[in-house]
Amino acid sequence: MDTKNSYRDEDSGFTVLTDNILYDEIDKEIVLRFGRLQVSLELEEFISVLLEFEEAGSLIHNILLTKVQNTQDDKEIN
């Protein structure tokens, strides 16, 4: 679904931040959309979740950097 076009009306009470993230100006909440799932978070909750994702992303990045994968030629790829 094209969120930007769905909430283009200035009187909708939403500010489109990205295709899947909206700011609800009436309820003062951040709305995250994942397919048919919609999650509303207060600003403090959104920041907390964002920090968790950032930490998890950093850890996943480190795991992928240290994981060694073998090719069919027995060469290591980092």
Side-chain angles (χ1 to χ4, degrees):
M1 179 178 182
D2 186 3
T3 303
K4 289 184 179 179
N5 287 331
S6 297
Y7 293 94
R8 192 167 297 275
D9 182 9
E10 293 178 6
D11 296 328
S12 69
F14 289 94
T15 299
V16 177
L17 303 175
T18 69
D19 282 339
N20 296 302
I21 303 174
L22 307 169
Y23 177 65
D24 182 343
E25 297 173 12
I26 297 168
D27 292 331
K28 306 291 187 220
E29 294 180 333
I30 304 292
V31 180
L32 307 174
R33 298 177 55 136
F34 305 101
R36 296 184 311 170
L37 177 66
Q38 183 170 307
V39 178
S40 297
L41 301 169
E42 293 178 353
L43 188 56
E44 294 81 12
E45 294 170 323
F46 176 72
I47 291 169
S48 178
V49 169
L50 195 61
L51 292 173
E52 291 278 335
F53 273 110
E54 184 178 19
E55 183 179 348
S58 177
L59 292 172
I60 290 171
H61 180 76
N62 289 338
I63 290 168
L64 293 176
L65 285 177
T66 58
K67 183 177 178 180
V68 176
Q69 300 176 355
N70 291 323
T71 65
Q72 292 177 348
D73 298 328
D74 292 330
K75 295 179 183 175
E76 291 184 350
I77 300 174
N78 288 327

